[in-house]
Each structure stands twice: as structure tokens, then as C-alpha cells.
Amino acid sequence: MARRISERADLLPVLGEIFRDHGFEAASLSVIGARTGLGKGSLYHFFPGGKEEMAKAVLDEIDRWFENEVFRPLREGGNAAADIEAMLVAVDGYFRSGHRICLVGALALADSRERFAAQIAGYFAAWQEALAGALARAGRADPDGLAEEVLALIQGGLVLARARDEADIFTRLLARLLARLRLKLRPASH
Amino acid sequence: MARRISERADLLPVLGEIFRDHGFEAASLSVIGARTGLGKGSLYHFFPGGKEEMAKAVLDEIDRWFENEVFRPLREGGNAAADIEAMLVAVDGYFRSGHRICLVGALALADSRERFAAQIAGYFAAWQEALAGALARAGRADPDGLAEEVLALIQGGLVLARARDEADIFTRLLARLLARLRLKLRPASH
DNA sequence: GTCTATAGAGTGATAGAC
DNA sequence: GTCTATCACTCTATAGAC
């Protein structure tokens, strides 16, 4: 049988996990073939540009997901405090409470960084801008600086959780962050 | 001439920069040979265990540097607030104000993580413990949680600075952190 | 016949070990 | 420098859907 109904879009989540597990360089075509169940012929059929095209497609899909689930709600939401809290919940879910790393952040530190520099920079820029807007609506001073801090905490939390093999670190950091943002947003509560 | 005054210890800083630039997997022996000026024979003379031994030696040297310059001063210092401030100054210098990434953090996110898991975890554990001790001496509540947050901010700041190719992000985050810690340490100043 | 999805032998280059 | 393994990738071939 030659046809086994594969679609390019269905491959992206699997490819994402492969790149998260191995990084770009170490994700060999044999590993990709084994985990997708596809031969080189199929892989090059869907991604004529090879590994680089695969990674770019994965980054695009990540960007699309965050745009829909995180960035746009932050921009268009009504209650800024609730929107920021919803963002933290979505982030906790996406990163599986610290068990999953951020592929974008990992690529930023890797050798292959320059190949994907535009997509990497764009992802964080969009996130920071959307979050800073919500923080501004919530009346926070220096929303850009605070948004930068929140993103750094999330990325650093993922690094620490993986480094110490202790996903709870990420959960604790998100909880602290939530408490800190809440406290300032509702100063009457204490 | 067979001898050209190379010592194993002199190679470690160069190897560190190579691994920071390329990561472990992508730092090929030919790259290492080119940048150290040594042939494969010499490299295997100094590091019979190959690349893995090189990286472990680099991690050991990093650990030694932080132990002397960061961890021990935090543990043995007198004025806790001054010690923490000195730590941030040392960290800013070590990471070249955001121009240099943290090799330990980068390895934690990479495919080769398991090979160096013990050294990676130990580095962050020692840092957090030393910092939490100083924060406790300074009278801070939840010193462990706060130390975790400081480490995450540093690591995340390095990720963001590299991702957006904007080292100033790291400098700004350190400045915010310093201000936040100072404010709480000397509540009488405002 | 044409188009799409598949499989995999075979390419040259390069890897790390020694 | 030698060695073997593996890399990303090319190419040919094939099976079914239209």
C-alpha cells in the first residue's frame, strides 16, 4: 500500500516533540523517521526543504497557537487582571506544569539560532507587547519592564525545572508570580 | 616542534566559549581543533574521554569559578544585602551584561542534558542554597522561593537577551531585581 | 495517465574515536 | 591520519486515487 493518509499538519506536533527532546541538530532524519513512522521519501515530500523547513513549520505552528490562545486574548480581553491570570493558566497547561520545555527558548540558546532568528525574536516580541498592553490596562507602572520580567521568569523557570529535573519549580514560580500580580492589582485585599 | 606549551587548564576557557557558541553536539572536533589550534591527537591526549570529558572539565571549571566568586562570598559574607548586591555585579560581569549565555542552562535544555545531569543540577542547587542563606540572613521571608525566583530571572534574562539579540534586556532585568531587593532590604528608605 | 504518498537504496561529506 | 558509523539529502520506483 502506498497511501496511508498522512497530512503535513498532523506531523507538526510530533516534530515539535522531537525537536524539544533532541534539539535541532541532534534530531536526525533517522530519529524523525522512526518517531513519525515515515520514510525519507514522505518526509521530503511534505518538507522539500528538509529539517530546516520542518523546524520552521513547527515554529509557525507554535506562533499560531500562542497568537490564538495567549496573545489575542491578552489584547482583546476586557478585564486585564483576569486576562493575565488566564495567560498564566494557559502557559502552565502548554508547558505541562514544567515538564515540557519551550522550543523557542531552547533554539535561542542553540547553534541553529541564526537560522530561526526572525521567528524566535518575533515570538517573544509579540508576547511581550501583548502582555505589556494588558498590564498597562491594569494600571501598572512600567508595563514593558514588568512584561519583560514575567517572560524571563517563565523561561528561566523552564530552564531551572529541566536543569534540576524538578517540574515543581515551574509551578512554584508561576504561583509566586500570580500572587505578586494579584496583590498589586487588588491592593485592598490586605 | 611537538611541544607548543599547551596545558589542559589553558584549554578550558577556549573550550567553554566553543561549547557556548555551538552547544555540545554541534561543537565538532574539527571546530574544536581549529579554535584551539590543536590536532585530534593532542586533544585526545589531554582529554582521553573525548568531547564528553572536555565538557565535564569545562563544567567543573565553571563550578569552581562560581564557588569562589559567587557562592562562598554569599555564604561567608557579613552584610547580607551587600553580598547579594555583589553577587549581581559578579553575575553581570560573568555573563558580559547579557552578551554571553549560561553554558549550564543551555546544556540543561539540550539533547546532551542527561550526560551532564549531575553537574547541571548541582550548579543550580549550590547557587540557590547559598543565595537563600544570604536572603534569610537579610531577614527575608521565604528565602528559598525568592532565591528560586532570582535564579529564574537570571536564566530567563539570558534566554530573552539571546532570543531577541538585545543584551540590554538582561541589564534591565538585573537593575529591576536590584531595585526590588534593595527596597525590601531597607524599607526605611521610602 | 496523472497526482500524491510512500519506501528505501545510494550519494558524498563528515562525524568522533583512536 | 585511519577507521567506521552516521549524517542530510537525492533519486528511482511503486501503489493507489482520481
Side-chain angles (χ1 to χ4, degrees), chain B residues 57-147:
Chain B
V58 168
L59 287 175
D60 276 342
E61 205 220 21
I62 291 172
D63 216 63
R64 210 175 311 124
W65 191 92
F66 273 83
E67 176 60 33
N68 290 333
E69 307 293 328
V70 179
F71 306 159
R72 188 173 323 123
L74 276 176
R75 280 192 222 104
E76 299 178 355
N79 181 335
D83 295 339
I84 293 164
E85 194 168 328
M87 177 197 87
L88 292 176
V89 172
V91 162
D92 185 57
Y94 184 83
F95 293 116
R96 310 271 156 80
S97 301
H99 289 282
R100 195 195 212 189
I101 66 165
C102 176
L103 177 59
V104 191
L107 285 178
L109 295 184
D111 192 37
S112 38
R113 177 191 150 263
E114 297 198 13
R115 271 200 246 218
F116 312 112
Q119 285 173 290
I120 293 168
Y123 169 83
F124 288 114
W127 195 345
Q128 188 182 343
E129 194 190 339
L131 177 56
L135 289 167
R137 288 203 321 273
R140 301 289 308 233
D142 189 16
D144 285 307
L146 187 52

Side-chain angles (χ1 to χ4, degrees), chain A residues 19-182:
Chain A
F19 287 130
R20 261 180 275 266
D21 287 348
H22 299 284
F24 179 73
E25 321 278 352
S28 70
L29 278 188
S30 58
V31 164
I32 295 172
R35 287 185 52 174
T36 58
L38 293 175
K40 295 173 197 170
S42 302
L43 293 171
Y44 275 89
H45 169 68
F46 291 119
F47 305 96
K51 267 173 57 170
E52 180 161 341
E53 188 177 339
M54 295 179 203
K56 282 186 173 165
V58 168
L59 287 175
D60 276 342
E61 205 221 19
I62 292 173
D63 216 63
R64 211 175 313 125
W65 191 92
F66 273 84
E67 176 60 33
N68 290 332
E69 307 293 329
V70 179
F71 306 160
R72 188 173 324 123
L74 276 176
R75 280 191 223 104
E76 299 178 356
N79 180 334
D83 296 339
I84 294 165
E85 195 169 327
M87 177 198 86
L88 293 177
V89 172
V91 162
D92 185 56
Y94 184 83
F95 294 116
R96 311 269 157 81
S97 301
H99 289 284
R100 197 194 211 190
I101 67 166
C102 175
L103 177 59
V104 191
L107 285 178
L109 296 183
D111 192 38
S112 39
R113 178 190 149 262
E114 297 198 13
R115 272 199 245 217
F116 313 111
Q119 285 172 289
I120 292 169
Y123 169 83
F124 288 113
W127 194 346
Q128 187 181 343
E129 195 190 338
L131 177 55
L135 289 166
R137 290 204 320 274
R140 301 290 309 232
D142 188 17
D144 285 308
L146 187 52
E148 212 160 63
E149 195 178 335
V150 171
L151 293 199
L153 268 174
I154 292 169
Q155 291 296 312
L158 294 171
V159 171
L160 287 185
R162 177 58 61 104
R164 302 193 60 180
D165 198 18
E166 198 185 326
D168 284 350
I169 294 174
F170 183 69
T171 305
R172 283 199 295 270
L173 285 167
L174 281 193
R176 278 183 71 94
L177 186 55
L178 188 59
R180 184 144 69 93
L181 292 173
R182 267 226 201 91

Side-chain angles (χ1 to χ4, degrees), chain B:
Chain B
M1 60 172 96
R3 283 188 148 235
R4 226 198 310 168
I5 48 144
S6 275
E7 281 192 43
R8 202 183 122 115
D10 295 333
L11 289 172
L12 297 181
V14 188
L15 291 174
E17 290 311 314
I18 296 170
F19 287 129
R20 262 180 275 266
D21 287 349
H22 298 284
F24 179 74
E25 321 279 351
S28 70
L29 279 187
S30 59
V31 165
I32 295 172
R35 287 184 53 174
T36 57
L38 294 176
K40 296 176 191 174
S42 303
L43 292 171
Y44 272 87
H45 169 68
F46 290 120
F47 305 95
K51 266 172 60 170
E52 180 161 339
E53 187 177 340
M54 296 180 202
K56 283 186 173 164
V58 168
L59 287 175
D60 276 342
E61 205 220 21
I62 291 172
D63 216 63
R64 210 175 311 124
W65 191 92
F66 273 83
E67 176 60 33
N68 290 333
E69 307 293 328
V70 179
F71 306 159
R72 188 173 323 123
L74 276 176
R75 280 192 222 104
E76 299 178 355
N79 181 335
D83 295 339
I84 293 164
E85 194 168 328
M87 177 197 87
L88 292 176
V89 172
V91 162
D92 185 57
Y94 184 83
F95 293 116
R96 310 271 156 80
S97 301
H99 289 282
R100 195 195 212 189
I101 66 165
C102 176
L103 177 59
V104 191
L107 285 178
L109 295 184
D111 192 37
S112 38
R113 177 191 150 263
E114 297 198 13
R115 271 200 246 218
F116 312 112
Q119 285 173 290
I120 293 168
Y123 169 83
F124 288 114
W127 195 345
Q128 188 182 343
E129 194 190 339
L131 177 56
L135 289 167
R137 288 203 321 273
R140 301 289 308 233
D142 189 16
D144 285 307
L146 187 52
E148 211 160 65
E149 194 177 336
V150 171
L151 293 199
L153 268 174
I154 292 170
Q155 291 296 311
L158 294 171
V159 172
L160 286 185
R162 177 59 60 103
R164 303 193 59 179
D165 198 18
E166 199 186 325
D168 284 350
I169 293 174
F170 184 69
T171 305
R172 283 199 296 269
L173 285 167
L174 281 192
R176 278 182 71 92
L177 187 54
L178 188 59
R180 185 144 69 95
L181 292 173
R182 267 227 201 91
L183 274 175
K184 300 285 186 121
L185 289 171
R186 312 187 211 155
S189 69
H190 61 291

